[in-house]
Amino acid sequence: MTDKTIPGPDGLPRCRWAGSAPDFFQYHDTEWGFPVGDDIRLFEKICLEGFQSGLSWRTILDKRENFRAAFQGFDFRKVAEFGEADVERLLQDAGIIRHRGKIEATINNAKRACEMVEKEGSIATFFWRYEPDPATLPEPQSQSTSPESVAISKELKKRGWKFVGPTTVFAFLQAMGLINDHAEGCVTREKVEEARRAFNRPTG
């Protein structure tokens, strides 16, 4: 789909959105859509997607290292120990998004993540259970929610997670490789397919 791709720095086609900010080609080519089974990275991404709510991903990506420093590398076991003093500290941290609700949601979600590991064995086991059959997926980048993102959002909310609406969860599924939503013709699409074929799905 030529309208969904643009030439990258090497002249080869990439998803059109990758050209919208200087750092996006690197993120697009090395991270977005590649399958992730690491609990820390999965927790980080669901939190950062929550922080992005109402903002642009460029804003979050620019601040990602600051977020990592502020939230102990998104080690959810450490973040689960944060208290009110930490909330106040983070509200003074100009390097992140100073939104009380989102900060408190991240601390809450860290506690819920610990519970999830207790129950499921890992965060990865929970999320990858919802991986859709690729044959059922619509045209890449043609939707902002999916039946799976709606189901995950509902289940997470039931378990007490916050800032995990269907659109937020769908962006998480795209980024963490549970679906390959790279545009048809994008050179990274096949690299993601290869990575997904080689990926060992977590089972607990």
Side-chain angles (χ1 to χ4, degrees):
M1 292 288 177
T2 53
D3 61 328
K4 288 207 170 181
T5 61
I6 57 167
D10 55 5
L12 297 173
R14 305 295 200 287
C15 296
R16 177 168 288 279
W17 64 261
S20 57
D23 295 342
F24 277 8
F25 278 117
Q26 170 76 8
Y27 175 70
H28 168 277
D29 286 359
T30 62
E31 290 189 57
W32 196 77
F34 287 89
V36 174
D38 177 76
D39 279 3
I40 300 287
R41 284 190 60 200
L42 292 167
F43 179 71
E44 173 186 278
K45 186 61 176 171
I46 199 77
C47 292
L48 291 180
E49 291 294 349
F51 270 103
Q52 187 197 337
S53 181
L55 303 168
S56 73
W57 177 242
R58 181 180 184 177
T59 300
I60 303 300
L61 194 59
D62 284 348
K63 294 176 179 284
R64 184 163 65 170
E65 290 306 320
N66 299 334
F67 274 109
R68 286 171 173 168
F71 287 99
Q72 299 278 312
F74 286 96
D75 182 332
F76 49 91
R77 291 176 180 84
K78 292 178 180 176
V79 178
E81 300 297 322
F82 281 18
E84 187 55 39
D86 294 290
V87 174
E88 295 305 322
R89 170 179 60 82
L90 292 165
L91 284 169
Q92 302 305 314
D93 188 339
I96 65 168
I97 305 299
R98 293 181 285 184
H99 183 294
R100 180 180 287 275
K102 293 176 180 180
I103 290 168
E104 290 178 342
T106 300
I107 297 167
N108 167 78
N109 291 350
K111 294 173 182 174
R112 305 292 80 80
C114 291
E115 294 167 358
M116 181 177 283
V117 171
E118 279 289 311
K119 185 175 181 182
E120 312 287 349
S122 70
I123 294 171
T125 300
F126 170 82
F127 282 113
W128 280 94
R129 187 182 303 144
Y130 290 89
E131 180 187 10
D133 177 352
T136 68
L137 296 175
E139 181 188 337
Q141 298 172 37
S142 63
Q143 57 183 8
S144 58
T145 64
S146 68
E148 293 78 20
S149 79
V150 171
I152 292 170
S153 173
K154 188 175 177 182
E155 180 60 25
L156 288 175
K157 287 176 181 176
K158 195 167 116 185
R159 296 183 185 212
W161 292 62
K162 296 176 180 174
F163 279 92
V164 286
T167 304
T168 294
V169 172
F170 185 73
F172 168 87
L173 297 181
Q174 289 174 301
M176 297 288 95
L178 282 93
I179 58 174
N180 183 354
D181 222 26
H182 281 274
E184 299 287 352
C186 168
V187 293
T188 308
R189 183 175 176 85
E190 183 50 39
K191 293 175 185 173
V192 165
E193 273 309 303
E194 288 173 15
R196 281 175 44 79
R197 282 194 290 269
F199 181 67
N200 288 321
R201 271 67 176 166
T203 55

